[in-house]
Amino acid sequence: MSMNTAQADARIQPQADCLLCPVQSCFARGPRAETTAWSAILAPRLSVIPGAPPLFAVGDKLDSLYTVRAGCIKTYTVDSSGGEHIRGFHLPGDLIGLDALDYGRCRSSAVAVVPSQVCVAPLSAVRKLLSAQPSLAQRLTERTSRELALALALCGGFSAEQRLAAFLIHMERRLYSGNSLLRLPMPQRDIGNYLRLATETVCRTLKQFVSRGWVQQDHFGLRLDGYKAIAALAEPIVGPLTAPSFALAA
Amino acid sequence: MSMNTAQADARIQPQADCLLCPVQSCFARGPRAETTAWSAILAPRLSVIPGAPPLFAVGDKLDSLYTVRAGCIKTYTVDSSGGEHIRGFHLPGDLIGLDALDYGRCRSSAVAVVPSQVCVAPLSAVRKLLSAQPSLAQRLTERTSRELALALALCGGFSAEQRLAAFLIHMERRLYSGNSLLRLPMPQRDIGNYLRLATETVCRTLKQFVSRGWVQQDHFGLRLDGYKAIAALAEPIVGPLTAPSFALAA
DNA sequence: CGTCACTTTGAGGCTAGTCAACGGCGGTGG
DNA sequence: CCACCGCCGTTGACTAGCCTCAAAGTGACG
């Protein structure tokens, strides 16, 4: 490990880091001892911008777990004919790399959708920490379990309307910004790729939602006026957790 | 807990159980200490037959992890219009319930496809054991990770041919019986439901494979003569692990 | 002010779903 | 022993949802 400026900076306040971090839903959040311990193993944060080389690529040895601190990271695979298949969008607080833990090599590549920051937890240190803190290990399993449940739900053979509805609901929950404005960081092409829909289908379906008065669309983003109607469509996918973010205090 | 005959039987040789078990790919398999410790927490085995009440149902409190010892268990959800959505087929060695670990309640129901046996690990004991044996906790995370990777892969918008090919390849690997005969325990209706294909489409696609000489079909099951061709179709889903079971010794 | 990426709109085609009907097989009961 | 029934698998004809292809409109940025 070389000692460049970025590393030095990152290590000046190693334990204060996660405790001061504004990302509430981060995996690092937990009992204070766990959070500080997690902080202590972090390598310097990385900044990633769209167009930059991938954070990691398919087949790379998995040597770190990543958490998103800001922005949006997408993971994807490339099939034999060059087509890109987006496997997930990772927003602040999300872990990246959970689907590679058993294989030891990355099952996807990762790039930034918008300028982003990711925290890097070296895997060897993570494993040591998990041995010392069983409750942290349990939380990691639970995170993986949650991802699994979501992936299984998205697998279903659902209509374009249902898929897009589920996507909007899911994003609204995770991007909740204090108002009902939903600013999606990724282009419709990526949404379509992720949902296995053509870009045109995403656009048309969204327009349908607008024409039904469920969604308002302007330069700044989306407004989900018909949250309940959209959630009803999405219910088979996201489950019966149909309350909007601003009502999820409990 | 009442002390019926079955329980008494199961507890007579608690530690010998997993070590003597013929299921090689079981989660309980590992370093000897882990296997015996896992054995020690097991509740009596359950036998489940098709048509019997579910092993567990959506919304039940998750109080145990289950491993399949024999047969085939399917997990499924039921949407608001009564339609069944199969989420997974669990074969000997598989864990059931991994997608519920974070939620604490079952996200699916589970019934037997054929007469089956499942081992029951009470969750409270599992958690204690995981705290004491971090390497076991790591293996649990890895299992969950593997399931996640599979689910993400199956999510893709693939053609009927690709889906069925991936299903056959996946099943061949897990049901490997020493010969190249593949005896699927579930009816085509269930396969179609799982793959989000109509039963008729499963049948027609299978016939296509037969007509191409890739598959032989008789009363006893399937024979994958064109394993390589099928695996090539399935490659975007199952990944580049294209060797048949009987060549997977390494 | 031009370029480029993204979005939007339209027309036509294909995959897979739906509906309907038949054949085979196993179980059940007369 | 055979007739009946139900489930599963199979086949064909038709339909629908979504994809593909093509082209024009829109906003961001140099």
Side-chain angles (χ1 to χ4, degrees):
Chain A
M1 291 218 193
S2 70
M3 200 60 166
N4 60 30
T5 311
Q7 282 190 349
D9 284 348
R11 285 180 180 178
I12 287 178
Q13 27 184 330
Q15 27 185 354
D17 201 29
C18 286
L19 288 175
L20 296 178
C21 178
V23 180
Q24 293 300 318
S25 63
C26 183
F27 173 67
R29 292 279 163 167
R32 190 188 178 93
E34 288 178 21
T35 304
T36 54
W38 184 264
S39 262
I41 67 169
L42 289 182
R45 283 205 295 273
L46 294 177
S47 288
V48 206
I49 57 168
L55 189 58
F56 54 79
V58 174
D60 284 0
K61 187 164 165 299
L62 182 77
D63 50 71
S64 302
L65 284 187
Y66 305 88
T67 50
V68 181
R69 185 183 149 90
C72 179
I73 304 288
K74 71 173 178 186
T75 49
Y76 62 94
T77 58
V78 177
D79 63 29
S80 52
S81 55
E84 175 178 302
H85 286 228
I86 296 177
R87 293 214 163 186
F89 295 110
H90 302 267
L91 299 176
D94 289 346
L95 273 161
I96 311 179
L98 293 182
D99 61 339
L101 279 175
D102 77 306
Y103 182 43
R105 291 186 174 278
C106 297
R107 288 200 146 93
S108 55
S109 305
V111 298
V113 174
V114 292
S116 307
Q117 290 186 324
V118 296
C119 299
V120 182
L123 202 50
S124 56
V126 170
R127 292 201 202 282
K128 276 199 209 100
L129 185 55
L130 294 179
S131 294
Q133 307 237 4
S135 64
L136 192 67
Q138 184 183 330
R139 288 206 291 120
L140 181 64
T141 305
E142 285 170 0
R143 280 266 177 169
T144 313
S145 168
R146 192 197 305 178
E147 297 278 316
L148 172 60
L150 174 65
L152 284 174
L154 273 174
C155 272
F158 298 104
S159 69
E161 281 191 355
Q162 289 175 306
R163 293 176 121 78
L164 185 61
F167 182 78
L168 292 177
I169 295 298
H170 195 226
M171 280 297 161
E172 193 278 340
R173 292 214 185 111
R174 301 162 81 203
L175 287 175
Y176 177 52
S177 55
N179 48 40
S180 65
L181 188 68
L182 180 59
R183 188 144 185 66
L184 296 176
M186 71 291 290
Q188 289 186 3
R189 172 175 42 81
D190 278 357
I191 298 175
N193 186 307
Y194 176 56
L195 299 176
R196 318 306 164 184
L197 298 173
T199 307
E200 297 91 329
T201 304
V202 173
C203 178
R204 278 188 261 259
T205 307
L206 192 57
K207 289 297 173 197
Q208 281 218 331
F209 289 175
V210 171
S211 73
R212 290 178 203 166
W214 295 352
V215 173
Q216 279 184 50
Q217 221 178 352
D218 58 34
H219 319 291
F220 304 109
L222 304 177
R223 205 170 294 272
L224 306 188
D225 296 324
Y227 188 99
K228 282 192 68 174
I230 300 173
L233 257 185
E235 182 265 330
I237 307 182
V238 299
L241 315 159
T242 49
S245 290
F246 48 83
L248 274 184
Chain B
M1 289 218 191
S2 68
M3 200 59 169
N4 59 32
T5 311
Q7 283 188 348
D9 284 347
R11 285 180 177 175
I12 286 177
Q13 27 184 332
Q15 30 183 351
D17 202 28
C18 287
L19 289 175
L20 295 178
C21 180
V23 180
Q24 294 299 317
S25 62
C26 184
F27 172 68
R29 291 280 162 166
R32 191 187 178 92
E34 287 178 21
T35 304
T36 54
W38 183 263
S39 263
I41 67 169
L42 290 182
R45 282 204 295 273
L46 294 177
S47 289
V48 206
I49 57 168
L55 191 57
F56 53 79
V58 174
D60 283 359
K61 186 163 166 297
L62 182 76
D63 50 77
S64 303
L65 285 185
Y66 303 88
T67 51
V68 181
R69 184 182 149 92
C72 177
I73 304 287
K74 71 173 178 186
T75 51
Y76 62 93
T77 59
V78 177
D79 62 29
S80 51
S81 53
E84 175 178 303
H85 286 228
I86 296 176
R87 294 212 162 185
F89 294 109
H90 302 266
L91 299 176
D94 289 347
L95 273 162
I96 312 179
L98 294 182
D99 62 340
L101 280 175
D102 77 306
Y103 181 42
R105 292 185 174 276
C106 297
R107 289 197 145 95
S108 54
S109 306
V111 298
V113 173
V114 293
S116 306
Q117 290 187 326
V118 296
C119 299
V120 182
L123 201 51
S124 57
V126 170
R127 292 203 203 283
K128 276 197 210 105
L129 186 55
L130 294 179
S131 295
Q133 308 237 4
S135 63
L136 193 65
Q138 183 183 331
R139 289 206 290 119
L140 181 64
T141 304
E142 285 170 0
R143 279 266 175 166
T144 313
S145 168
R146 192 196 306 176
E147 296 279 314
L148 172 60
L150 174 65
L152 284 174
L154 274 175
C155 271
F158 299 104
S159 68
E161 281 191 355
Q162 289 176 306
R163 293 175 123 76
L164 186 61
F167 182 79
L168 292 178
I169 296 297
H170 195 225
M171 279 296 161
E172 192 279 338
R173 291 214 186 111
R174 300 162 82 204
L175 286 176
Y176 176 52
S177 54
N179 49 41
S180 64
L181 188 67
L182 180 58
R183 186 141 187 71
L184 296 176
M186 71 290 291
Q188 289 186 2
R189 171 174 44 81
D190 278 358
I191 297 175
N193 185 306
Y194 176 55
L195 299 176
R196 318 306 162 184
L197 298 172
T199 308
E200 296 92 327
T201 304
V202 173
C203 179
R204 277 189 262 259
T205 308
L206 192 56
K207 290 295 173 196
Q208 282 220 328
F209 289 175
V210 171
S211 74
R212 292 178 202 165
W214 293 353
V215 173
Q216 280 185 48
Q217 221 178 352
D218 58 34
H219 321 289
F220 304 109
L222 304 176
R223 204 170 295 272
L224 306 188
D225 297 324
Y227 189 98
K228 282 193 68 173
I230 300 173
L233 257 186
E235 182 265 329
I237 306 183
V238 299
L241 316 159
T242 50
S245 289
F246 46 83
L248 273 184

